[in-house]
Every structure is written in structure tokens, then in C-alpha cells.
Coordinates of all heavy atoms in Angstrom, one line a residue:
M113 N 79.5 131.2 133.0 CA 80.3 132.2 133.7 C 81.0 131.7 134.9 O 80.4 131.0 135.7 CB 79.3 133.4 134.0 CG 80.0 134.5 134.8 SD 81.0 135.6 133.8 CE 79.9 137.0 133.5
V114 N 82.2 132.0 135.1 CA 83.0 131.5 136.2 C 83.1 132.6 137.3 O 83.2 133.8 136.9 CB 84.4 131.0 135.7 CG1 85.2 132.2 135.2 CG2 85.1 130.2 136.7
G115 N 83.2 132.1 138.5 CA 83.3 133.1 139.6 C 84.7 133.2 140.2 O 85.5 132.4 140.0
K116 N 84.8 134.3 141.0 CA 86.1 134.4 141.8 C 86.2 133.3 142.8 O 85.2 132.9 143.4 CB 86.1 135.8 142.5 CG 86.4 137.0 141.7 CD 86.4 138.3 142.5 CE 87.6 138.4 143.4 NZ 87.9 139.8 143.8
L117 N 87.4 132.9 143.0 CA 87.7 131.9 144.0 C 87.4 132.5 145.4 O 87.8 133.6 145.7 CB 89.1 131.4 144.0 CG 89.5 130.6 142.7 CD1 91.0 130.1 142.9 CD2 88.6 129.4 142.5
D118 N 86.8 131.7 146.3 CA 86.7 132.2 147.7 C 88.1 132.0 148.4 O 89.0 131.4 147.8 CB 85.6 131.5 148.4 CG 85.8 130.0 148.6 OD1 86.9 129.6 148.7 OD2 84.8 129.3 148.7
E119 N 88.2 132.5 149.6 CA 89.5 132.5 150.3 C 90.1 131.2 150.4 O 91.3 131.0 150.2 CB 89.2 133.2 151.7 CG 90.5 133.9 152.2 CD 91.2 134.8 151.2 OE1 90.5 135.6 150.5 OE2 92.4 134.7 151.0
K120 N 89.3 130.2 150.8 CA 89.8 128.8 151.0 C 90.3 128.2 149.7 O 91.4 127.7 149.7 CB 88.7 128.0 151.7 CG 89.2 126.7 152.3 CD 88.1 126.0 153.0 CE 88.4 124.6 153.3 NZ 87.3 123.8 153.8
A121 N 89.5 128.3 148.7 CA 89.9 127.7 147.4 C 91.2 128.4 146.8 O 92.0 127.8 146.2 CB 88.8 127.9 146.4
R122 N 91.2 129.7 147.1 CA 92.4 130.5 146.7 C 93.7 130.1 147.3 O 94.7 129.9 146.7 CB 92.0 132.0 147.0 CG 92.9 133.0 146.5 CD 92.5 134.3 147.2 NE 93.4 135.3 146.7 CZ 93.1 136.1 145.6 NH1 92.0 136.0 145.0 NH2 94.0 136.9 145.2
T123 N 93.6 129.9 148.6 CA 94.8 129.5 149.4 C 95.3 128.1 148.9 O 96.5 127.9 148.7 CB 94.5 129.4 150.9 OG1 94.0 130.7 151.3 CG2 95.7 129.1 151.7
L124 N 94.3 127.2 148.7 CA 94.6 125.9 148.2 C 95.3 125.9 146.8 O 96.3 125.2 146.6 CB 93.3 125.1 148.2 CG 93.4 123.6 148.6 CD1 93.9 123.4 150.0 CD2 92.0 123.0 148.4
A125 N 94.7 126.7 146.0 CA 95.1 126.8 144.6 C 96.5 127.4 144.5 O 97.4 126.9 143.8 CB 94.2 127.6 143.8
L126 N 96.8 128.4 145.3 CA 98.1 129.0 145.3 C 99.2 128.1 145.8 O 100.3 128.1 145.3 CB 98.1 130.3 146.1 CG 97.3 131.5 145.4 CD1 97.1 132.7 146.3 CD2 98.1 131.9 144.2
A127 N 98.8 127.3 146.8 CA 99.8 126.3 147.3 C 100.2 125.3 146.2 O 101.3 124.8 146.3 CB 99.1 125.6 148.5
S128 N 99.3 125.1 145.3 CA 99.7 124.1 144.2 C 100.5 124.8 143.1 O 100.9 124.1 142.2 CB 98.4 123.5 143.6 OG 97.7 124.4 142.8
L129 N 100.7 126.1 143.2 CA 101.4 126.8 142.1 C 102.5 127.7 142.8 O 102.4 128.9 142.8 CB 100.4 127.7 141.4 CG 99.4 127.0 140.6 CD1 98.3 128.1 140.1 CD2 99.9 126.3 139.4
P130 N 103.6 127.0 143.3 CA 104.6 127.7 144.0 C 105.4 128.8 143.3 O 105.9 129.7 143.9 CB 105.5 126.6 144.5 CG 105.3 125.5 143.6 CD 103.8 125.6 143.2
D131 N 105.4 128.7 141.9 CA 106.1 129.7 141.1 C 105.3 130.9 140.8 O 105.8 131.8 140.1 CB 106.6 129.0 139.8 CG 107.6 127.9 140.1 OD1 108.4 128.1 141.0 OD2 107.5 126.8 139.5
W132 N 104.0 130.9 141.2 CA 103.2 132.0 140.8 C 102.9 132.9 142.1 O 102.8 132.3 143.2 CB 101.8 131.5 140.3 CG 102.0 130.9 138.9 CD1 102.5 129.6 138.7 CD2 101.8 131.5 137.6 NE1 102.5 129.4 137.3 CE2 102.1 130.5 136.6 CE3 101.3 132.7 137.2 CZ2 102.0 130.7 135.3 CZ3 101.2 133.0 135.8 CH2 101.5 132.0 134.9
T133 N 102.8 134.2 141.9 CA 102.7 135.1 143.0 C 101.4 135.8 142.9 O 101.0 136.3 141.8 CB 103.8 136.2 142.9 OG1 105.1 135.5 142.8 CG2 103.9 137.0 144.2
P134 N 100.7 136.0 144.0 CA 99.4 136.8 143.9 C 99.7 138.2 143.5 O 100.7 138.8 143.9 CB 98.9 136.8 145.4 CG 99.6 135.6 146.0 CD 100.9 135.5 145.3
A135 N 98.9 138.7 142.6 CA 99.0 140.1 142.2 C 97.8 140.9 142.7 O 96.7 140.3 142.7 CB 99.0 140.1 140.7
G136 N 98.0 142.1 143.0 CA 96.9 142.9 143.6 C 95.9 143.6 142.6 O 94.7 143.4 142.7
D137 N 96.5 144.2 141.6 CA 95.6 145.1 140.8 C 96.0 144.9 139.3 O 97.1 145.5 138.9 CB 95.8 146.5 141.2 CG 94.8 147.4 140.4 OD1 93.8 146.9 139.9 OD2 95.1 148.6 140.4
P138 N 95.3 144.1 138.5 CA 94.1 143.4 138.9 C 94.4 142.2 139.7 O 95.5 141.7 139.7 CB 93.5 143.0 137.5 CG 94.7 142.8 136.6 CD 95.7 143.8 137.1
D139 N 93.3 141.7 140.4 CA 93.4 140.5 141.2 C 93.7 139.3 140.4 O 92.9 138.9 139.5 CB 92.1 140.4 142.0 CG 92.1 139.1 142.8 OD1 93.1 138.7 143.4 OD2 91.0 138.4 142.7
G140 N 94.9 138.7 140.6 CA 95.3 137.6 139.7 C 96.6 137.0 140.3 O 96.9 137.1 141.4
I141 N 97.3 136.3 139.4 CA 98.6 135.7 139.7 C 99.5 136.0 138.6 O 99.2 136.1 137.5 CB 98.5 134.2 139.9 CG1 97.8 133.5 138.8 CG2 97.8 133.9 141.3 CD1 97.8 131.9 138.9
R142 N 100.8 136.2 139.0 CA 101.8 136.5 138.0 C 103.0 135.6 138.1 O 103.4 135.1 139.2 CB 102.3 138.0 138.1 CG 103.0 138.3 139.4 CD 103.6 139.7 139.3 NE 102.6 140.8 139.4 CZ 102.2 141.5 138.3 NH1 102.7 141.3 137.2 NH2 101.3 142.5 138.5
R143 N 103.7 135.5 137.0 CA 105.0 134.7 137.0 C 105.9 135.3 135.9 O 105.4 135.7 134.8 CB 104.8 133.2 136.7 CG 106.1 132.4 136.8 CD 105.9 130.9 136.7 NE 107.2 130.4 136.5 CZ 107.5 129.1 136.3 NH1 106.5 128.2 136.2 NH2 108.7 128.6 136.1
R144 N 107.2 135.4 136.2 CA 108.2 135.9 135.2 C 108.9 134.7 134.7 O 109.4 133.8 135.5 CB 109.1 136.9 135.9 CG 110.3 137.2 135.0 CD 111.1 138.4 135.5 NE 110.3 139.6 135.2 CZ 110.8 140.8 135.4 NH1 111.9 141.0 136.1 NH2 110.0 141.9 135.1
F145 N 109.1 134.6 133.4 CA 109.8 133.5 132.8 C 111.0 134.1 132.1 O 110.9 135.1 131.4 CB 108.9 132.8 131.7 CG 107.7 132.2 132.3 CD1 106.5 132.9 132.5 CD2 107.7 130.8 132.7 CE1 105.4 132.3 133.0 CE2 106.5 130.3 133.2 CZ 105.4 131.0 133.4
T146 N 112.2 133.5 132.2 CA 113.4 134.0 131.6 C 114.0 132.8 130.7 O 114.1 131.7 131.2 CB 114.4 134.4 132.6 OG1 113.8 135.4 133.5 CG2 115.6 135.1 132.0
F147 N 114.3 133.2 129.5 CA 114.8 132.2 128.6 C 116.2 132.6 128.1 O 116.7 133.6 128.5 CB 113.8 132.1 127.4 CG 112.5 131.6 127.8 CD1 111.5 132.5 128.1 CD2 112.2 130.3 127.9 CE1 110.2 132.1 128.5 CE2 110.9 129.8 128.3 CZ 109.9 130.8 128.6
A148 N 116.8 131.7 127.3 CA 118.1 131.9 126.8 C 118.2 133.2 125.9 O 119.2 133.9 125.9 CB 118.7 130.7 126.0
D149 N 117.2 133.4 125.1 CA 117.2 134.5 124.1 C 115.7 134.7 123.6 O 114.8 134.1 124.1 CB 118.1 134.1 122.9 CG 117.7 132.8 122.3 OD1 116.5 132.4 122.4 OD2 118.6 132.1 121.7
F150 N 115.6 135.7 122.7 CA 114.3 136.1 122.2 C 113.5 134.9 121.5 O 112.3 134.7 121.7 CB 114.4 137.2 121.3 CG 113.1 137.6 120.7 CD1 112.1 138.3 121.4 CD2 112.7 137.3 119.4 CE1 110.9 138.7 120.9 CE2 111.5 137.6 118.8 CZ 110.6 138.3 119.6
N151 N 114.3 134.1 120.8 CA 113.7 133.0 120.0 C 113.0 132.0 121.0 O 111.9 131.6 120.7 CB 114.8 132.3 119.2 CG 114.2 131.4 118.2 OD1 113.3 131.8 117.4 ND2 114.7 130.2 118.1
E152 N 113.7 131.7 122.1 CA 113.1 130.8 123.1 C 111.9 131.4 123.7 O 110.9 130.8 123.9 CB 114.1 130.5 124.2 CG 115.3 129.7 123.7 CD 115.0 128.2 123.5 OE1 114.3 127.7 124.3 OE2 115.4 127.7 122.5
A153 N 112.0 132.7 124.0 CA 110.9 133.4 124.7 C 109.7 133.4 123.8 O 108.5 133.2 124.2 CB 111.3 134.8 125.1
F154 N 109.9 133.7 122.5 CA 108.8 133.9 121.6 C 108.1 132.5 121.3 O 106.9 132.4 121.1 CB 109.2 134.6 120.3 CG 108.0 135.2 119.6 CD1 107.3 136.3 120.0 CD2 107.5 134.5 118.4 CE1 106.2 136.7 119.4 CE2 106.4 135.0 117.8 CZ 105.7 136.1 118.2
G155 N 109.0 131.5 121.2 CA 108.5 130.1 121.0 C 107.6 129.7 122.1 O 106.5 129.2 121.9
F156 N 108.0 130.1 123.3 CA 107.1 129.8 124.5 C 105.8 130.6 124.4 O 104.7 130.0 124.6 CB 107.9 130.2 125.8 CG 107.1 130.3 127.0 CD1 106.6 129.2 127.7 CD2 106.8 131.6 127.6 CE1 105.9 129.3 128.8 CE2 106.0 131.7 128.8 CZ 105.6 130.5 129.4
M157 N 105.9 131.8 124.0 CA 104.6 132.7 123.9 C 103.7 132.1 122.8 O 102.5 132.1 123.0 CB 105.0 134.1 123.5 CG 105.7 134.8 124.6 SD 106.2 136.5 124.2 CE 104.7 137.4 124.3
T158 N 104.3 131.5 121.8 CA 103.4 130.9 120.8 C 102.7 129.7 121.3 O 101.5 129.5 121.1 CB 104.3 130.4 119.6 OG1 105.1 131.5 119.1 CG2 103.5 129.8 118.5
R159 N 103.4 128.9 122.2 CA 102.7 127.8 122.8 C 101.6 128.2 123.8 O 100.6 127.6 123.9 CB 103.8 126.8 123.4 CG 104.6 126.2 122.3 CD 105.5 125.1 122.8 NE 106.6 125.6 123.7 CZ 107.1 124.9 124.7 NH1 106.7 123.7 124.9 NH2 108.1 125.4 125.4
V160 N 101.9 129.2 124.5 CA 100.9 129.8 125.5 C 99.7 130.3 124.7 O 98.6 130.1 125.1 CB 101.5 130.8 126.4 CG1 100.5 131.5 127.2 CG2 102.6 130.2 127.3
A161 N 100.0 131.0 123.6 CA 98.9 131.5 122.8 C 98.0 130.4 122.3 O 96.7 130.6 122.3 CB 99.5 132.3 121.6
L162 N 98.5 129.3 121.9 CA 97.7 128.2 121.4 C 96.8 127.6 122.6 O 95.7 127.3 122.4 CB 98.6 127.1 120.8 CG 99.3 127.4 119.5 CD1 100.2 126.3 119.1 CD2 98.3 127.7 118.4
L163 N 97.5 127.5 123.8 CA 96.7 127.1 125.0 C 95.6 128.1 125.2 O 94.4 127.7 125.6 CB 97.6 127.1 126.2 CG 98.5 125.9 126.5 CD1 99.3 126.2 127.8 CD2 97.7 124.6 126.6
A164 N 95.9 129.3 125.2 CA 94.9 130.4 125.5 C 93.7 130.3 124.6 O 92.6 130.5 125.0 CB 95.6 131.7 125.5
E165 N 94.0 130.2 123.3 CA 92.9 130.1 122.3 C 92.0 128.9 122.6 O 90.8 128.9 122.5 CB 93.5 130.1 120.9 CG 93.7 131.4 120.3 CD 92.4 132.2 120.2 OE1 91.6 132.0 119.2 OE2 92.1 133.1 121.1
K166 N 92.7 127.8 122.9 CA 92.0 126.5 123.1 C 91.0 126.6 124.3 O 89.9 126.2 124.3 CB 93.0 125.4 123.3 CG 92.5 124.0 123.0 CD 93.6 123.0 123.0 CE 93.2 121.6 123.1 NZ 94.3 120.7 123.3
A167 N 91.6 127.3 125.4 CA 90.8 127.4 126.6 C 89.9 128.7 126.6 O 89.1 128.9 127.5 CB 91.8 127.5 127.8
D168 N 90.0 129.5 125.6 CA 89.3 130.8 125.5 C 89.6 131.6 126.8 O 88.7 132.1 127.5 CB 87.8 130.6 125.3 CG 87.1 131.9 125.0 OD1 87.8 132.8 124.4 OD2 86.0 132.0 125.3
H169 N 90.9 131.6 127.2 CA 91.3 132.3 128.4 C 92.7 132.9 128.1 O 93.6 132.1 127.9 CB 91.3 131.3 129.6 CG 91.4 132.1 130.9 ND1 90.4 132.9 131.3 CD2 92.3 132.1 131.9 CE1 90.7 133.4 132.5 NE2 91.9 133.0 132.8
H170 N 92.8 134.2 128.2 CA 93.9 134.9 127.6 C 94.7 135.6 128.6 O 94.2 136.3 129.5 CB 93.5 135.8 126.5 CG 92.7 135.1 125.4 ND1 91.3 134.9 125.5 CD2 93.1 134.5 124.3 CE1 90.9 134.2 124.4 NE2 92.0 133.9 123.7
P171 N 96.1 135.5 128.5 CA 96.9 136.2 129.5 C 97.1 137.7 129.3 O 96.9 138.1 128.1 CB 98.3 135.5 129.3 CG 98.3 135.1 127.8 CD 96.8 134.7 127.5
E172 N 97.3 138.4 130.3 CA 97.9 139.8 130.2 C 99.4 139.5 130.3 O 99.8 138.9 131.2 CB 97.4 140.7 131.3 CG 95.9 140.9 131.2 CD 95.4 141.9 132.2 OE1 96.2 142.7 132.7 OE2 94.2 141.9 132.5
W173 N 100.1 140.0 129.3 CA 101.6 139.7 129.3 C 102.4 140.7 128.6 O 101.9 141.5 127.8 CB 101.8 138.3 128.7 CG 101.3 138.0 127.3 CD1 100.8 138.9 126.5 CD2 101.4 136.7 126.6 NE1 100.5 138.2 125.3 CE2 100.9 136.9 125.3 CE3 101.9 135.5 127.0 CZ2 100.8 135.9 124.4 CZ3 101.8 134.5 126.0 CH2 101.3 134.7 124.8
S174 N 103.7 140.6 128.9 CA 104.6 141.5 128.1 C 105.9 140.7 127.9 O 106.2 139.7 128.7 CB 104.9 142.8 128.9 OG 105.6 142.5 130.1
N175 N 106.7 141.1 126.9 CA 107.9 140.4 126.6 C 109.0 141.5 126.3 O 108.7 142.5 125.7 CB 107.7 139.6 125.3 CG 109.0 139.3 124.6 OD1 109.1 139.7 123.4 ND2 109.9 138.6 125.2
V176 N 110.1 141.3 127.0 CA 111.3 142.1 126.7 C 112.4 141.1 126.4 O 112.9 140.4 127.3 CB 111.7 143.0 127.8 CG1 112.9 143.8 127.5 CG2 110.5 144.0 128.1
Y177 N 112.9 141.0 125.2 CA 114.0 140.1 124.7 C 113.7 138.7 125.2 O 112.9 138.0 124.6 CB 115.3 140.7 125.1 CG 116.5 139.8 124.7 CD1 116.6 139.3 123.4 CD2 117.4 139.4 125.7 CE1 117.6 138.5 123.0 CE2 118.5 138.5 125.3 CZ 118.6 138.1 124.0 OH 119.6 137.2 123.6
N178 N 114.4 138.3 126.3 CA 114.3 136.9 126.7 C 113.4 136.7 127.9 O 113.3 135.6 128.5 CB 115.7 136.3 127.1 CG 116.3 137.0 128.3 OD1 115.9 138.1 128.6 ND2 117.2 136.4 129.0
R179 N 112.6 137.7 128.2 CA 111.8 137.7 129.4 C 110.3 137.8 129.0 O 110.0 138.6 128.2 CB 112.2 138.9 130.3 CG 111.8 138.8 131.7 CD 112.4 140.0 132.5 NE 111.6 141.2 132.2 CZ 112.2 142.4 132.0 NH1 113.5 142.6 132.2 NH2 111.4 143.4 131.8
V180 N 109.5 137.0 129.7 CA 108.1 137.0 129.5 C 107.4 137.2 130.8 O 107.6 136.3 131.7 CB 107.5 135.8 128.8 CG1 106.0 135.9 128.5 CG2 108.3 135.5 127.4
D181 N 106.6 138.2 131.0 CA 105.9 138.4 132.3 C 104.4 138.1 132.0 O 103.8 138.7 131.1 CB 106.0 139.8 132.8 CG 107.4 140.1 133.4 OD1 107.8 139.3 134.3 OD2 108.1 141.0 132.9
I182 N 103.8 137.2 132.8 CA 102.4 136.8 132.5 C 101.6 137.1 133.8 O 102.0 136.7 134.9 CB 102.3 135.3 132.2 CG1 103.1 135.0 130.9 CG2 100.9 134.8 132.1 CD1 102.9 133.5 130.4
L183 N 100.5 137.7 133.6 CA 99.5 137.9 134.6 C 98.2 137.2 134.2 O 97.7 137.4 133.1 CB 99.2 139.4 134.8 CG 98.1 139.7 135.8 CD1 98.6 139.7 137.2 CD2 97.3 140.9 135.5
L184 N 97.7 136.4 135.1 CA 96.5 135.7 134.8 C 95.4 136.2 135.7 O 95.5 136.2 137.0 CB 96.6 134.2 135.0 CG 97.6 133.5 134.1 CD1 97.8 132.0 134.5 CD2 97.2 133.6 132.6
T185 N 94.3 136.7 135.1 CA 93.2 137.2 135.9 C 91.9 136.9 135.0 O 92.1 136.8 133.8 CB 93.3 138.7 136.2 OG1 92.2 139.1 137.0 CG2 93.4 139.5 135.0
T186 N 90.8 136.8 135.6 CA 89.6 136.5 134.8 C 88.7 137.8 134.7 O 88.1 138.2 135.7 CB 88.8 135.3 135.4 OG1 89.7 134.2 135.5 CG2 87.6 135.0 134.6
H187 N 88.7 138.4 133.5 CA 88.0 139.6 133.4 C 86.5 139.5 133.7 O 85.9 140.3 134.3 CB 88.2 140.2 131.9 CG 89.7 140.2 131.6 ND1 90.2 139.6 130.5 CD2 90.7 140.8 132.2 CE1 91.5 139.8 130.4 NE2 91.9 140.5 131.5
D188 N 86.0 138.4 133.2 CA 84.5 138.1 133.4 C 84.1 138.0 134.8 O 83.0 138.3 135.2 CB 84.1 136.8 132.6 CG 84.3 136.9 131.1 OD1 84.4 138.0 130.6 OD2 84.3 135.9 130.5
A189 N 85.1 137.6 135.7 CA 84.8 137.4 137.1 C 85.3 138.6 137.9 O 85.0 138.6 139.1 CB 85.4 136.1 137.6
G190 N 86.1 139.4 137.4 CA 86.7 140.5 138.1 C 87.7 140.1 139.1 O 87.9 140.7 140.2
G191 N 88.4 139.0 138.8 CA 89.5 138.6 139.7 C 89.9 137.2 139.4 O 89.8 136.7 138.3
L192 N 90.6 136.5 140.4 CA 91.2 135.2 140.3 C 90.1 134.1 140.3 O 89.3 134.1 141.2 CB 92.2 135.0 141.4 CG 93.0 133.7 141.3 CD1 94.0 133.8 140.1 CD2 93.7 133.4 142.6
S193 N 90.1 133.3 139.2 CA 89.1 132.2 139.2 C 89.8 130.9 138.9 O 91.0 130.9 138.6 CB 88.1 132.5 138.0 OG 88.6 132.1 136.8
R194 N 89.1 129.9 138.9 CA 89.6 128.5 138.6 C 90.2 128.5 137.2 O 91.2 127.7 137.0 CB 88.4 127.5 138.6 CG 88.6 126.1 138.2 CD 89.6 125.4 139.1 NE 89.4 125.6 140.5 CZ 90.2 125.3 141.5 NH1 91.4 124.8 141.2 NH2 89.9 125.5 142.7
R195 N 89.7 129.3 136.3 CA 90.3 129.3 134.9 C 91.8 129.8 134.9 O 92.6 129.3 134.1 CB 89.5 130.2 134.0 CG 88.1 129.7 133.9 CD 87.2 130.7 133.0 NE 87.6 130.4 131.6 CZ 87.1 131.2 130.6 NH1 86.4 132.2 130.8 NH2 87.5 130.9 129.3
D196 N 92.1 130.7 135.8 CA 93.5 131.2 135.9 C 94.4 130.1 136.5 O 95.5 129.9 136.0 CB 93.5 132.4 136.8 CG 92.7 133.5 136.3 OD1 92.8 133.9 135.1 OD2 91.8 134.0 137.0
I197 N 93.9 129.4 137.5 CA 94.6 128.3 138.1 C 94.9 127.2 137.1 O 96.0 126.7 137.0 CB 93.9 127.7 139.3 CG1 93.6 128.9 140.3 CG2 94.6 126.6 140.0 CD1 94.7 129.6 140.8
D198 N 93.9 126.9 136.3 CA 94.1 125.8 135.3 C 95.1 126.3 134.2 O 95.9 125.5 133.8 CB 92.7 125.5 134.7 CG 91.8 124.8 135.7 OD1 92.2 124.4 136.7 OD2 90.6 124.7 135.3
M199 N 95.0 127.5 133.8 CA 95.9 128.0 132.8 C 97.3 128.1 133.3 O 98.2 127.7 132.6 CB 95.4 129.4 132.4 CG 96.3 130.1 131.3 SD 96.4 129.2 129.8 CE 94.7 129.1 129.3
A200 N 97.5 128.5 134.6 CA 98.8 128.5 135.2 C 99.4 127.1 135.2 O 100.6 126.9 134.8 CB 98.8 129.1 136.6
A201 N 98.6 126.1 135.6 CA 99.1 124.8 135.6 C 99.5 124.3 134.2 O 100.5 123.6 134.0 CB 98.1 123.9 136.3
A202 N 98.7 124.6 133.2 CA 99.0 124.2 131.9 C 100.2 124.9 131.3 O 101.0 124.3 130.6 CB 97.7 124.6 131.0
I203 N 100.4 126.1 131.7 CA 101.7 126.9 131.3 C 102.9 126.2 131.9 O 103.9 126.0 131.3 CB 101.6 128.4 131.6 CG1 100.5 129.0 130.7 CG2 102.9 129.0 131.4 CD1 100.2 130.5 131.2
D204 N 102.8 125.9 133.2 CA 103.9 125.3 133.9 C 104.2 123.9 133.2 O 105.4 123.6 133.1 CB 103.5 125.0 135.4 CG 103.6 126.3 136.2 OD1 104.1 127.3 135.7 OD2 103.3 126.2 137.4
A205 N 103.2 123.2 132.8 CA 103.4 121.9 132.2 C 104.1 122.0 130.9 O 104.8 121.1 130.5 CB 102.0 121.2 132.0
L206 N 103.9 123.1 130.2 CA 104.7 123.3 128.9 C 106.2 123.3 129.1 O 106.9 122.9 128.2 CB 104.4 124.7 128.3 CG 103.0 125.0 127.6 CD1 103.0 126.4 127.2 CD2 102.9 124.0 126.5
L207 N 106.6 123.7 130.3 CA 108.0 123.8 130.5 C 108.6 122.5 131.0 O 109.9 122.4 131.2 CB 108.3 124.9 131.6 CG 107.9 126.3 131.1 CD1 108.0 127.3 132.2 CD2 108.7 126.7 129.9
K208 N 107.8 121.5 131.3 CA 108.3 120.2 131.8 C 108.7 119.3 130.7 O 109.2 118.2 131.0 CB 107.2 119.6 132.7 CG 107.0 120.5 134.0 CD 106.5 119.6 135.1 CE 106.2 120.4 136.4 NZ 104.8 120.9 136.6
H209 N 108.4 119.6 129.5 CA 108.9 118.8 128.4 C 109.2 119.5 127.1 O 109.3 120.7 127.2 CB 107.9 117.6 128.1 CG 106.5 117.9 128.2 ND1 105.8 118.6 127.3 CD2 105.6 117.7 129.2 CE1 104.5 118.8 127.7 NE2 104.4 118.2 128.9
Ligands
LIG524 N1 90.5 135.8 129.2 C1 90.6 136.2 130.4 N2 91.8 136.3 131.0 N3 89.5 136.5 131.2 C2 88.3 136.4 130.6 O1 87.3 136.7 131.4 C3 88.1 136.0 129.3 C4 89.3 135.7 128.6 N4 86.9 135.9 128.8 N5 89.2 135.4 127.3 C5 86.7 135.3 127.5 C6 87.9 135.5 126.6 C7 85.4 135.9 126.9 O2 85.6 137.3 126.7 C8 85.0 135.2 125.6 C9 83.8 135.9 125.1 O3 84.7 133.9 125.9

């Protein structure tokens, strides 16, 4: 079982993820992704889904045409945990190649 990040770890982790914004309710981080069209957006979602299954850590998300909104929070911990930070970094890495 993974725990919520304490204040110091949280600040440090957020500094390493400049494209993600703290979200209040539920406690987590969010990022909006915009693509050329639905096909690109859904392809991205497919790759995130594979990551999520592998990590057993699943996003709260929505998609409207070319836009994907992702919120990462850890249900088991009731807030932001290391698992969210790792998942955010892995999602960011998908876009670098
Ligand atoms: N995803 C997220 N975002 N938070 C969790 O706490 C979580 C999860 N827990 N995916 C996992 C699945 C857990 O329910 C299973 C049983 O491992």
C-alpha cells in the first residue's frame, strides 16, 4: 500500500513535472493534452491505457475530440502518491518520441 506524499516530497515532485497542475478534489495532479485530431488523441489514450495496466495505476480522464484531460490520484491512499508522480512522468515520456 502506498501513502500520500508529505508536503516536502510533494513540492519536490511537482517541481519535476512543470506541465502538471495540482488538483484539489480529489487531491491529485492534472494535465490537458491537445492533439491534431481524434485519431491522435485516441492513439495516445491507448498508449496510456497500456502503461496504466502495466503499473496497475489508472487515470481519471475524459476525451472530447482532440483533447484528453487526465487527473492522477491514488484512490488507495486518498490523495497524491508516488505512483501518480511516476505515472505522470511515464505519460510525459510517451510524448517525447
Ligand atoms: N489506480 C489509481 N489511480 N489509484 C489506485 O489506488 C489504484 C488504481 N489502485 N488502480 C489499484 C488499481 C488497486 O485497486 C488494485 C487492486 O491494485
Side-chain angles (χ1 to χ4, degrees):
M113 176 76 99
V114 67
K116 280 182 73 157
L117 291 183
D118 66 28
E119 207 47 49
K120 196 173 163 193
R122 188 188 181 89
T123 305
L124 214 62
L126 285 170
S128 75
L129 296 170
D131 296 320
W132 294 78
T133 309
D137 186 21
D139 173 42
I141 50 175
R142 65 170 73 255
R143 182 174 172 186
R144 169 165 286 182
F145 299 86
T146 306
F147 297 92
D149 54 25
F150 176 75
N151 195 48
E152 293 285 317
F154 198 75
F156 168 71
M157 292 176 80
T158 304
R159 292 191 289 153
V160 172
L162 293 173
L163 277 183
E165 272 298 279
K166 203 168 161 188
D168 192 29
H169 196 63
H170 302 87
E172 296 187 18
W173 58 2
S174 65
N175 159 241
V176 178
Y177 180 51
N178 66 336
R179 196 174 77 217
V180 180
D181 286 306
I182 297 186
L183 174 88
L184 297 173
T185 183
T186 301
H187 309 122
D188 297 343
L192 188 70
S193 80
R194 175 61 50 195
R195 300 179 75 189
D196 301 306
I197 302 305
D198 293 347
M199 181 58 60
I203 291 171
D204 284 354
L206 283 179
L207 299 171
K208 292 203 180 100
H209 36 76

